[in-house]
Amino acid sequence: MRLIIKDNYDDVCKYTSEYILNRINEFNPTPERPFVIGLPTGSSPLGVYKKLVNFHREGMLSFKNVITFNMDEYVHLPRDHPESYHSFMWENLFKHVDIPPQNVNILDGNAKDLERECTEYEAKIAAVGGIELFLGGIGPDGHIAFNEPGSSLSSRTRIKTLAYETIIANSRFFGGDVNKVPKLSLTVGVGTVMDAREVVILISGAGKALALAKCIEEGVNHMWTVSAIQLHPRGMIVCDDDATLELHVKTVKYFKSIEKVHRLLTTEESKVGMDGKVRYSATK
Amino acid sequence: MDSSQAFNSSLNIATGAVTLQPTPKSQKKQDASPPSHQPPSDIAANSNSSLLSSFDFANKSAEAEKMRSFFANIKRDSVLVSANADYVHTKPSYGFLTNHQLHAVLPVLESRPALLSDRIFSQGPRPVEHPFSVRITLDMLNENKMLESPQTMEPEDASATTPPSAPYQKITKFTNCDVLRNGKIVKDETLWVRGGKIVDPASLFYEAEHGPDEIVDFKGRKTLIVPGFIDIQLNGYFGYDFADTDNIETSLDVISKGLLKYGVTSFCPTLVSSPAAVYHEVLPKIAQRKGKRSGHAEVLGAHIEGPFLAPPKKGAHDKFTLQSCPNGYKDMLDCYGPSLEAADSAVQIITVASEVEGMHACIYELKKRNKNIVVSLGHTQARYKDAEEALNCGATMITHLFNAMEPFHHRDPGPVGLIGCSLTSSGVDKPYYGIIADGVHADPASVRIAYVAHPDGCILVTDAIAAAGMEGDVFSLGTMTVRRKSEVEVVIDGTDTLAGSVVTMPYCIKNLVRFTGCTLAQAINAATIAPATSIGISDRKGTLMPNTDADFVVLDEFDEMDPSAFNIAHVYVNGEEVRS
C-alpha cells in the first residue's frame, strides 16, 4: 500500500487528479476497451472533480470512453432531489464533461426491486470487465461507501441501513430535520471495492485522523472497514498532514521517505513509471 | 366504448364520475366471449344513470364478470370499494361502488382474501375511515388474475420524455456561459433546450439514450443568458400603431419581428382609449395572434389602457373616448365586447382610474369572472384611500408610476403611496408598478426612490409609440398627432404633454442600473421575471427554469467599469435563433 502524504487538501486533490489523468491517458481507452472507474460522493472528492473538469476543459482529458460506477445512493429519495447522489454527480462532474449518458452507472434507489438492482449492478461491473480504479473517501468511523462498522469485509452491493451518526451528520443537507434524511441506502460492498484492480482512498482533515490510524497501523478489522485495503495488491491512500495526526511519527517518516525515493526515480529520464513498473525505452 | 356486451362504461373527467350504462337487451343476456379491454375513452358520459339497474344479482358469476371488466377498464392504480355510499364517484386514484355493487364484488373477493386491505377510507366531504371499505389496486387484480390482460398504470408525469409517436426533437446544449435563472445569476452553467422548451439536463441525462445533438459553446467569451424581455406596455413601433384597426395584422407582424433585435420576445400590444367599435374589431384579431411563436416575439394579450380614465389625467388620450361605468361591469363588457369573457381571452391587462363612477364594483366583478386579467391603476386622480380600496377590490398593478396620476404628497401619497403600503386591510400585498425609465417620464431620483421602496415590484415598460424605431418628427397616436421634441422625448403636437416614448427595452434596462445603482441582473429581472409574475405567466416565461419556454437572449460585451453595459449577441425564440 502506498501512503502519499501531502501538505493540505488542495495538494491532495492536485495529486489525485493528476494521478487519475495519467492513469486514464496511459491506459488509452477505446470503445472496445474502456476505462472503468469507481467514483465517490461527499466533500472529499469535490476538489478532485473540479480539477478533472479543468483538465477536460483544457483538452487534456476526455471521458468519451470512460465508464463510471458510483459507490452508493439513497433509497426512496427522488432522483432529482438536490441531495440525491444523482444530482451530486451531475452538478459536480457529468454536467461539465463529455461522458456519454450510457457510460454512467449509479444505483437506482427508487427501483421496484432493490435487491435485484444490487445484483444487476454487480453483474454490470463484471460485464464491462471489472473496475480498473476505484476512487473513494473515508468516514470518521473508517467506513468506505456506506459500509458502516460491522459490515462484512467480503460484502457485495446491497441495501444497507444507515448508522444513526451518519443520519445526524447528513441532516444538515435536509434542513436540519433528521426525519427527512433517508434511512436506507444501496451501497457497493467492501468486497466490491477491493475487487477493483486499484483502489485510491482520499483522506483529509483532522476528523479522519483516527480512522486513518486505525486503518493502516492496526489489523484488518470490520469495525474500520477501510482496513481491508491492507489486503489489496495495489492500494493507495492520499492524505494531508492533518489526517496524520494520530499516526506514529515513525509511520509518517517512513512513508514520506519512500515517496521521496519514488519522486527521485520518476523524473523524465527515469526508467520507472507512475505505477512503479520499470520501463524500457525502445531506443536504449 | 364497449367493455363487455353487457354495458358501456365511460369516464366523465369534469365530475370524475364513471357511469356504466346498460346497453339495450343486456340485462338477461350472458355473454360467453370475454369482454374486450380497451382503455376508456375520456369523453364525457352521456348521462348519470345509476349503475344499480345494470346488475343482475341473482346471477353471481355474471356479476363477477361485469366487475372484472369494470376494473379492467379503469386506468387508475386503485379502486376503493365502499359499502355505504349510494353513488358512484371515482377520482384519479380511487373510486368506490355502491352497496349493491359491493355485493357483486364480494363473491370475487371472498375467494381472494388478500384483496382486502386494513387501512381504508371512503370518499366524501371528508375522508372517513370506513369498516366496510375495500381497497383494490390494479397490482392486486393483476396478481390474482382478475384481469384478462395485465393492466399497468399510465405514467402520470410526462415531463422530460416525449411520447414515442412524436417526431424526434433536437436537444441543444448551451455551455460555458452564465445563466440568469429564476432571478439569480448562476455562474458557469449550461442551458438545455428541446422542443422549444428549457429542459432539466439532469433528468435528460439520466433518462436519455444520448447526449445533446448540438452544442453551442461560448468558451472564451464572457456571456450571460437571460430570459427574453417582456414588454407589457407598448402602443406601437416602427411606424405602426395598434389602435389603427385597418392594419392590425400588419402591425402585429412587423412589430413582433422588429422587437426581437431589442431582445423583447413577448409583449402586450397596448390600445389607448378608443371608441367601443375599435375594441370590438381589434380584440378578436389580437386573440388570433395570441400565443403563436415561431420566428417572432409572442403576443401575450392586449393591454387595454382606457377608456375608463379620469379626464383631467388623460395625458395623450383622446378625451372624447373617455367614459365612466355607472352600471359597473356591464359597461365594461359593452365597451370591450365579448372578447373580454372569451375562454382564451385576448385581454391581459386593463388600465383603469379607480375613482371613476362605478369602478370599484366593476373591478371586483371583473376579477371574480376572470382571475387572469390584471387590473392596473393609471390616468387617475384617486387619492391614497381610494387607490388602496381598488387594491382590495382586486387591482394588482400601477400603470407608468408617477405619470398621469396625483403626485406624492406626504399627507396623501396618492397611488404612488401604494408601493410603500404595508399589507392593506384585506391582506393584499404591494402592487407591481410600471416604470418608463427614459429619464424623461420620471426623474432618475424618483425612479430610485420607487425602486428602493419596492424593488420586486418594478416592471420596466417602454410605452413606446409608432414613432419609436423611426426617423422623422411627426407621427400619429390613435386619433392624436405627436411630435418628437428631442431624441427621447415625444409630446402632443402643440403642447408639452408627454405622449408615450421612443425608447427601447435595453435602453431602459441600462437606465435602471444607472438611476438606481442596482445590478444588471436586478434590472433584467425588472424586464423579465417581474412582468411575467405580474401577469401570471411565470410558469412558462421569465425564469429559464425547466419546462418554461425557450425564449432567451445571449448578452456579452460587459464592462467592469460600467455595470450597465451589455450587448445583445443572440436572441432565441422557441429554442431557435431568430437573429444574430
Side-chain angles (χ1 to χ4, degrees):
Chain A
M1 187 202 78
R2 286 176 62 190
L3 180 66
I4 317 283
I5 303 170
K6 292 287 169 189
D7 289 337
N8 52 43
Y9 176 67
D10 201 48
D11 286 345
V12 166
C13 295
K14 186 164 174 296
Y15 184 91
T16 315
S17 55
E18 280 174 5
Y19 186 80
I20 295 177
L21 168 72
N22 288 330
R23 280 283 269 124
I24 295 179
N25 286 341
E26 269 186 43
F27 187 92
N28 198 13
T30 62
E32 297 79 33
R33 185 175 157 264
F35 189 92
V36 185
I37 188 168
L39 292 178
T41 53
S43 44
S44 308
L46 275 178
V48 176
Y49 290 149
K50 274 201 187 62
K51 291 187 160 49
L52 288 176
V53 167
N54 282 339
F55 289 146
H56 171 76
R57 288 214 175 115
E58 285 157 25
M60 291 156 62
L61 177 61
S62 165
F63 284 80
K64 276 213 164 31
N65 297 312
V66 172
I67 295 185
T68 68
F69 283 90
N70 258 62
M71 280 184 155
D72 43 20
E73 173 61 287
Y74 291 116
V75 166
H76 292 150
L77 193 64
R79 191 187 61 209
D80 51 10
H81 191 281
E83 292 304 323
S84 84
Y85 289 162
H86 281 82
S87 302
F88 179 96
M89 292 307 300
W90 168 258
E91 281 296 318
N92 294 304
L93 185 63
F94 300 141
K95 183 162 88 172
H96 307 279
V97 299
D98 62 346
I99 189 164
Q102 58 268 30
N103 282 9
V104 167
N105 298 285
I106 308 183
L107 284 157
D108 180 9
N110 292 303
K112 284 209 162 45
D113 189 343
L114 292 172
E115 279 187 32
R116 208 162 123 203
E117 172 74 15
C118 295
T119 39
E120 274 179 10
Y121 202 68
E122 289 280 340
K124 254 188 272 184
I125 295 178
V128 291
I131 297 180
E132 186 68 29
L133 187 152
F134 216 126
L135 182 67
I138 189 175
D141 53 3
H143 73 237
I144 183 161
F146 271 130
N147 294 292
E148 311 279 6
S151 301
S152 160
L153 296 177
S154 60
S155 48
R156 311 303 308 184
T157 309
R158 66 214 186 285
I159 312 169
K160 198 86 177 75
T161 326
L162 298 185
Y164 196 58
E165 265 181 22
T166 312
I167 294 181
I168 294 186
N170 285 351
S171 66
R172 71 182 189 273
F173 300 122
F174 291 86
D177 185 0
V178 286
N179 292 323
K180 291 209 180 89
V181 185
K183 302 193 175 36
L184 285 178
S185 70
L186 302 180
T187 177
V188 295
V190 185
T192 320
V193 176
M194 295 303 156
D195 269 358
R197 288 184 276 286
E198 179 168 6
V199 179
V200 176
I201 305 288
L202 295 165
I203 304 186
S204 98
K208 313 281 171 77
L210 183 62
L212 176 60
K214 291 285 183 188
C215 286
I216 65 174
E217 285 183 341
E218 304 200 7
V220 174
N221 190 324
H222 67 165
M223 297 310 278
W224 304 90
T225 43
V226 175
S227 60
I229 200 175
Q230 296 179 22
L231 294 173
H232 194 283
R234 269 178 85 187
M236 180 164 88
I237 296 183
V238 189
C239 71
D240 59 3
D241 263 346
D242 281 347
T244 63
L245 287 174
E246 294 277 350
L247 290 176
H248 291 138
V249 175
K250 183 174 83 175
T251 314
V252 175
K253 282 200 158 111
Y254 174 70
F255 281 107
K256 279 191 174 166
S257 77
I258 292 192
E259 287 309 311
K260 199 161 160 187
V261 173
H262 190 258
R263 259 200 307 279
L264 288 173
L265 285 178
T266 56
T267 53
E268 286 227 355
E269 320 88 43
S270 82
K271 297 198 177 60
V272 180
M274 275 228 69
D275 48 4
K277 296 205 192 96
V278 179
R279 271 204 288 255
Y280 295 98
S281 61
T283 61
K284 241 221 186 132
Chain B
M1 178 241 75
D2 201 7
S3 60
S4 83
Q5 304 303 332
F7 53 87
N8 297 325
S9 83
S10 51
L11 175 66
N12 181 339
I13 290 188
T15 65
V18 165
T19 55
L20 298 178
Q21 295 165 284
T23 53
K25 294 180 284 190
S26 65
Q27 298 284 357
K28 302 295 178 196
K29 210 185 261 189
Q30 306 311 327
D31 214 62
S33 61
S36 59
H37 297 284
Q38 300 141 26
S41 58
D42 39 359
I43 299 169
N46 299 331
S47 74
N48 286 321
S49 62
S50 159
L51 276 165
L52 305 183
S53 51
S54 72
F55 285 99
D56 179 359
F57 298 104
N59 193 332
K60 287 211 168 149
S61 66
E63 297 320 306
E65 192 63 32
K66 284 180 195 165
M67 274 302 124
R68 186 175 300 145
S69 47
F70 173 76
F71 286 134
N73 288 307
I74 296 172
K75 273 220 159 179
R76 294 180 294 280
D77 63 339
S78 70
V79 172
L80 185 68
V81 180
S82 161
N84 256 5
D86 53 2
Y87 48 89
V88 172
H89 199 82
T90 54
K91 288 272 184 181
S93 65
Y94 58 83
F96 55 89
L97 307 172
T98 68
N99 217 346
H100 284 116
Q101 289 151 354
L102 184 60
H103 283 301
V105 176
L106 277 179
V108 178
L109 297 181
E110 274 172 56
S111 53
R112 310 252 192 268
L115 289 177
L116 297 174
S117 153
D118 54 348
R119 280 214 304 168
I120 294 126
F121 298 90
S122 70
Q123 173 64 3
R126 302 183 310 279
V128 163
E129 205 159 65
H130 199 290
F132 293 106
S133 304
V134 167
R135 171 168 277 149
I136 304 174
T137 63
L138 278 182
D139 276 345
M140 294 173 181
L141 293 176
N142 272 331
E143 270 168 24
N144 291 277
K145 298 186 183 35
M146 282 190 67
L147 303 173
E148 288 291 331
S149 57
Q151 301 284 315
T152 49
M153 267 296 290
E154 259 176 352
E156 300 278 359
D157 177 35
S159 51
T161 55
T162 49
S165 53
Y168 177 71
Q169 291 171 320
K170 187 176 82 163
I171 303 171
T172 312
K173 167 179 165 183
F174 298 83
T175 183
N176 281 323
C177 49
D178 299 340
V179 175
L180 182 62
R181 176 169 287 140
N182 214 21
K184 294 191 169 45
I185 290 189
V186 185
K187 287 202 160 303
D188 210 18
E189 174 76 339
T190 55
L191 190 72
W192 294 61
V193 175
R194 177 163 89 165
K197 296 240 178 221
I198 312 280
V199 289
D200 174 27
S203 0
L204 202 58
F205 183 83
Y206 289 120
E207 284 170 29
E209 291 298 301
H210 51 76
D213 300 301
E214 183 192 343
I215 300 181
V216 179
D217 194 342
F218 294 112
K219 188 170 177 170
R221 294 160 64 185
K222 183 155 169 20
T223 50
L224 174 66
I225 299 187
V226 300
F229 305 143
I230 303 176
D231 194 351
I232 58 171
Q233 188 172 6
L234 74 156
N235 308 285
Y237 229 97
F238 308 114
Y240 287 88
D241 187 339
F242 291 123
D244 180 7
T245 51
D246 295 330
N247 294 315
I248 182 74
E249 281 102 350
T250 322
S251 307
L252 287 171
D253 262 334
V254 170
I255 295 176
S256 62
K257 288 203 175 68
L259 283 179
L260 292 173
K261 63 175 172 291
Y262 300 127
V264 176
T265 56
S266 329
F267 65 101
C268 292
T270 306
L271 300 170
V272 294
S273 300
S274 310
V278 170
Y279 298 117
H280 281 72
E281 188 173 337
V282 167
L283 287 178
K285 292 185 180 160
I286 292 181
Q288 279 178 353
R289 280 296 299 264
K290 183 174 164 177
K292 294 193 174 47
R293 35 199 284 271
S294 189
H296 54 74
E298 179 175 340
V299 172
L300 294 174
H303 177 163
I304 310 182
E305 196 182 0
F308 301 98
L309 310 176
K313 292 289 182 189
K314 67 183 189 324
H317 291 230
D318 182 356
K319 66 172 182 264
F320 295 109
T321 60
L322 303 184
Q323 65 178 95
S324 65
C325 52
N327 297 321
Y329 177 71
K330 185 180 174 308
D331 283 339
M332 198 178 253
L333 187 58
D334 286 339
C335 179
Y336 297 141
S339 299
L340 188 63
E341 297 203 314
D344 188 19
S345 174
V347 178
Q348 183 68 72
I349 310 173
I350 305 181
T351 292
V352 299
S354 58
E355 79 279 16
V356 157
E357 186 191 349
M359 185 47 75
H360 285 189
C362 180
I363 296 177
Y364 184 77
E365 185 68 28
L366 173 69
K367 287 302 284 187
K368 221 169 68 171
R369 283 165 188 260
N370 193 332
K371 286 191 176 22
N372 294 328
I373 296 183
V374 170
V375 175
S376 184
L377 307 177
H379 290 274
T380 173
Q381 273 191 308
R383 311 237 69 112
Y384 178 75
K385 279 276 172 302
D386 190 286
E388 196 187 36
E389 189 54 36
L391 282 198
N392 286 337
C393 292
T396 52
M397 199 187 283
I398 305 175
T399 304
H400 46 55
L401 189 76
F402 299 121
N403 304 112
M405 57 182 62
E406 289 297 305
F408 180 91
H409 185 281
H410 50 283
R411 280 196 290 274
D412 188 335
V416 178
L418 290 176
I419 61 171
C421 75
S422 33
L423 295 182
T424 66
S425 51
S426 311
V428 175
D429 208 352
K430 294 189 204 179
Y432 289 93
Y433 57 97
I435 287 273
I436 306 172
D438 59 357
V440 169
H441 277 77
D443 190 274
S446 313
V447 175
R448 185 158 64 241
I449 291 178
Y451 187 78
V452 165
H454 186 24
D456 291 336
C458 180
I459 298 179
L460 290 173
V461 300
T462 58
D463 200 16
I465 59 170
M470 304 286 288
E471 304 293 323
D473 280 342
V474 181
F475 300 88
S476 70
L477 171 65
T479 52
M480 327 255 323
T481 311
V482 299
R483 175 178 297 280
R484 189 196 294 265
K485 189 170 155 190
S486 74
E487 201 194 319
V488 289
E489 223 174 314
V490 193
V491 294
I492 302 178
D493 200 9
T495 72
D496 268 337
T497 310
L498 290 171
S501 80
V502 290
V503 291
T504 66
M505 188 57 88
Y507 182 66
C508 294
I509 295 174
K510 289 175 186 177
N511 273 348
L512 193 66
V513 176
R514 290 182 204 135
F515 295 170
T516 66
C518 68
T519 64
L520 185 59
Q522 287 171 317
I524 293 177
N525 283 344
T528 55
I529 194 173
T533 319
S534 71
I535 57 177
I537 57 169
S538 57
D539 58 337
R540 60 182 186 95
K541 287 203 192 296
T543 60
L544 293 186
M545 296 288 278
N547 291 326
T548 59
D549 293 343
D551 297 341
F552 53 93
V553 181
V554 181
L555 308 177
D556 62 4
E557 289 180 27
F558 303 103
D559 187 353
E560 274 176 16
M561 293 291 113
D562 178 8
S564 70
F566 65 86
N567 168 56
I568 295 177
H570 309 276
V571 177
Y572 286 78
V573 168
N574 208 26
E576 281 157 22
E577 184 162 7
V578 289
R579 180 231 147 216
S580 55

